[in-house]
């Protein structure tokens, strides 16, 4: 039996990955992390979407220690999300160590249930400047988990080389475009669906959706070319 663990935030990218995983694996588990993020609504959205899609199990883990260590606009209500990069070249929404922690814990969960894959929606094409969304980081984490647990495991990144328009196309391929558009939470200001329309995450999401809706055939062909 092919089993997978999906790192699941309830946002566009992870929901698209979850929808695809349910088609590709016999048993799919979702794992969501509560790290005191800016909007608790994220957790509620993730729970609702996971239930609707019918995953085998959905684990919500308290990792509040990350909030204590990582100061970011996503972990502090008094730090507004900025459109500008910081002096270090990173956006102030970057949470240092977040994906290191998440993938480690997801890998442990996969070990316990005998899953062959951990799936995450990170993407280098539209990675928003986050270093822990790049392919080199994923390969390094995959190697560390395999060596550290002495067990084969694949970190699968279906969106790694897709732009946002192609990510919308992938959701549409699995008849989930309306679900992703209306019921996920990607907005940094906590607005479900199309979001606030102003934060960097909403801009990226909206631009990708418009590109896809304006050029469906072209974008879908580009997705298929990358999938082959």
């Amino acid at each position: 039996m092919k089993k997978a663990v999906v790192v699941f935030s309830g946002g566009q990218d992870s929901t698209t990955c979850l929808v695809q995983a349910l088609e590709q694996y016999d048993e799919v588990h979702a794992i969501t992390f509560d790290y005191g993020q800016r909007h608790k609504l994220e957790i509620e959205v993730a729970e609702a979407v996971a239930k609707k899609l019918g995953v085998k199990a959905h684990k919500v883990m308290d990792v509040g220690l990350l909030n204590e260590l990582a100061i970011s606009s996503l972990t502090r209500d008094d730090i507004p999300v900025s459109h500008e990069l910081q002096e270090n070249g990173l956006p102030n929404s970057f949470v240092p160590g977040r994906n290191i922690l998440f993938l480690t814990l997801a890998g442990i969960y996969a070990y316990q249930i005998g899953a062959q894959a951990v799936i995450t929606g990170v993407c280098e094409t539209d990675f928003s400047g986050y270093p822990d969304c790049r392919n080199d980081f994923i390969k390094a984490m995959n190697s560390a988990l395999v060596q550290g647990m002495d067990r084969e495991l694949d970190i699968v990144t279906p969106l790694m080389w897709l732009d946002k328009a192609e990510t919308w196309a992938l959701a549409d391929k699995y008849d989930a475009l309306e679900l992703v558009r209306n019921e996920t939470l990607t907005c940094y200001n906590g607005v479900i669906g199309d979001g606030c329309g102003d934060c960097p995450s909403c801009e990226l999401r909206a631009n990708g959706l418009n590109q896809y809706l304006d050029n469906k055939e072209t974008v879908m062909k580009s997705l298929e070319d990358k999938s082959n």
Side-chain angles (χ1 to χ4, degrees):
M1 178 180 282
K2 289 176 61 181
K3 296 182 184 181
V5 173
V6 178
V7 178
F8 185 55
S9 69
Q12 175 190 359
D13 294 343
S14 64
T15 301
T16 302
C17 289
L18 182 58
V19 167
Q20 183 184 53
L22 287 164
E23 294 288 333
Q24 295 180 338
Y25 292 85
D26 301 308
E27 186 175 298
V28 177
H29 296 240
I31 185 167
T32 299
F33 298 102
D34 182 353
Y35 60 98
Q37 54 264 61
R38 195 179 187 94
H39 301 291
K40 286 289 186 183
L41 186 58
E42 264 191 28
I43 309 297
E44 297 173 20
V45 168
E47 289 176 328
V49 173
K51 183 177 181 180
K52 183 170 186 174
L53 291 175
V55 299
K56 172 71 175 179
H58 180 212
K59 184 179 290 292
V60 178
M61 293 200 66
D62 180 359
V63 289
L65 75 167
L66 179 62
N67 189 290
E68 294 182 33
L69 294 172
I71 298 174
S72 157
S73 63
L74 296 192
T75 60
R76 299 292 185 275
D77 290 336
D78 59 345
I79 302 176
V81 178
S82 174
H83 288 263
E84 307 298 326
L85 297 179
Q86 302 175 99
E87 290 184 4
N88 61 6
L90 300 174
N92 78 344
S93 55
F94 173 60
V95 182
R98 180 172 60 173
N99 282 341
I100 298 172
L101 178 62
F102 289 2
L103 289 172
T104 299
L105 295 174
I108 296 169
Y109 185 32
Y111 184 100
Q112 294 300 328
I113 65 170
Q116 297 85 10
V118 167
I119 301 172
T120 177
V122 299
C123 170
E124 187 162 318
T125 308
D126 284 331
F127 74 129
S128 301
Y130 298 164
D132 60 356
C133 289
R134 295 180 298 197
N135 195 51
D136 284 348
F137 162 73
I138 294 296
K139 289 192 293 186
M141 274 301 302
N142 203 152
S143 175
L145 288 172
V146 169
Q147 292 181 61
M149 296 192 292
D150 195 22
R151 179 179 178 274
E152 284 305 312
L153 178 73
D154 289 322
I155 300 180
V156 181
T157 54
L159 312 184
M160 181 58 74
W161 307 115
L162 305 186
D163 61 26
K164 268 293 180 284
E166 291 161 344
T167 300
W168 282 111
L170 184 60
D172 202 12
K173 177 181 177 181
Y174 293 104
D175 299 319
L177 189 144
E178 291 304 314
L179 167 72
V180 173
R181 180 172 184 177
N182 298 318
E183 299 182 41
T184 63
L185 175 58
T186 306
C187 174
Y188 289 153
N189 290 313
V191 182
I192 296 172
D194 289 337
C196 69
D198 179 61
C199 73
S201 182
C202 282
E203 289 182 358
L204 193 61
R205 175 176 163 131
N207 289 339
L209 179 60
N210 291 333
Q211 288 173 29
Y212 174 60
L213 295 178
D214 290 342
N215 303 279
K216 278 191 174 185
E217 290 186 8
T218 302
V219 176
M220 191 65 79
K221 185 179 186 308
S222 176
L223 171 66
E224 291 171 356
D225 289 343
K226 289 183 177 182
S227 301
N228 294 331

